[in-house]
Amino acid sequence: MQEQYRTVARAGVHESEINRSRFLCSLAPAATEQEAQDFIARVRKEHPTATHNCFAYVIGADASVQKASDDGEPGGTAGTPMLQMLMRREVRYAVAVVTRYYGGVKLGAGGLIRAYGGVVGEALDALGTITRQRFRLATVHVDHQRAGKLENDLRATGRDVREVRYAEAVTIEIGLPDADVEAFTAWLADATAGTATLELGGEAYGDATA
């Protein structure tokens, strides 16, 4: 698994006008290829009279799934530069749809490549990106007496506390960067006088702390 990846901070639309053509870039995070395709379908439905609805998406922290479509523009002048912009910015799990309303002035191949790639770059700047960090999921089991203070200490030290469950004992689910597991185990033993146990689980991605 990749240590981290960058994705779109939020869904949104950015508009540019180039030689009287309107270019609207709809950008969104997408966890799966199906989510990306559903988003593309929604945008097409919103703009049925547009000249073109070109798209590109990248799924997977390692960019294992990449798709692009020129939607009737000359081959390689729309979807490919959009995809290249996502890849150049190292954006993953994201989908971009550029809707074009033709304004009567032809842009030529070079102009189209600059327009489609450029509007995706502008949309990324406008909407922002976030970095997601790979974490090891871990569960801390602790007694009720120490649970409140331990949870406060975890949050105070910037730990990624995901869930707290109260039963006979208290379980606190956290996300730990792999490199921190050893140091955290020692800290936990010290903080709870050796009474808490740590159970390591699978891996997931969470927001990286700055």
Side-chain angles (χ1 to χ4, degrees):
M1 285 174 85
Q2 299 274 113
E3 279 303 312
Q4 60 181 39
Y5 67 86
R6 190 175 295 139
T7 192
V8 186
R10 60 189 171 88
V13 182
H14 174 77
E15 182 174 343
S16 283
E17 188 174 310
I18 301 165
N19 284 357
R20 301 217 301 264
S21 277
R22 282 176 69 210
F23 289 86
L24 289 88
C25 179
S26 303
L27 202 57
T32 63
E33 189 168 10
Q34 187 60 54
E35 265 187 43
Q37 290 169 351
D38 290 347
F39 180 77
I40 294 160
R42 274 202 307 279
V43 174
R44 283 187 165 148
K45 209 170 176 181
E46 284 168 20
H47 298 280
T49 61
T51 321
H52 306 279
N53 281 296
C54 308
F55 71 78
Y57 58 80
V58 182
I59 307 296
D62 55 356
S64 55
V65 178
Q66 301 175 27
K67 289 265 173 74
S69 164
D70 297 315
D71 193 38
E73 291 281 31
T77 62
T80 300
M82 290 168 64
L83 182 62
Q84 285 172 342
M85 181 59 72
L86 292 174
M87 293 299 292
R88 192 181 312 147
R89 295 288 192 91
E90 297 178 349
V91 172
R92 307 287 185 262
Y93 290 108
V95 54
V97 182
V98 175
T99 302
R100 182 187 183 192
Y101 287 92
Y102 182 58
V105 179
K106 290 192 173 180
L107 299 183
L112 287 172
I113 289 167
R114 281 192 299 278
Y116 278 99
V119 75
V120 172
E122 288 171 17
L124 287 168
D125 289 339
L127 296 169
T129 58
I130 54 172
T131 300
R132 307 274 286 169
Q133 176 77 39
R134 182 164 66 95
F135 285 101
R136 167 80 62 180
L137 296 171
T139 306
V140 176
H141 301 273
V142 66
D143 59 44
H144 284 265
Q145 190 185 337
R146 291 184 169 85
K149 182 178 186 311
L150 181 61
E151 185 186 342
N152 289 338
D153 287 350
L154 287 167
R155 293 187 190 279
T157 53
R159 291 293 174 194
D160 175 30
V161 178
R162 291 164 170 256
E163 193 178 352
V164 181
R165 289 192 302 276
Y166 288 86
E168 278 182 38
V170 181
T171 54
I172 304 173
E173 287 194 359
I174 59 170
L176 277 179
D178 264 349
D180 285 5
V181 170
E182 201 174 317
F184 179 79
T185 304
W187 175 87
L188 182 66
D190 193 44
T192 64
T195 60
T197 59
L198 181 68
E199 186 186 324
L200 293 176
E203 293 177 325
Y205 286 96
D207 294 345
T209 49

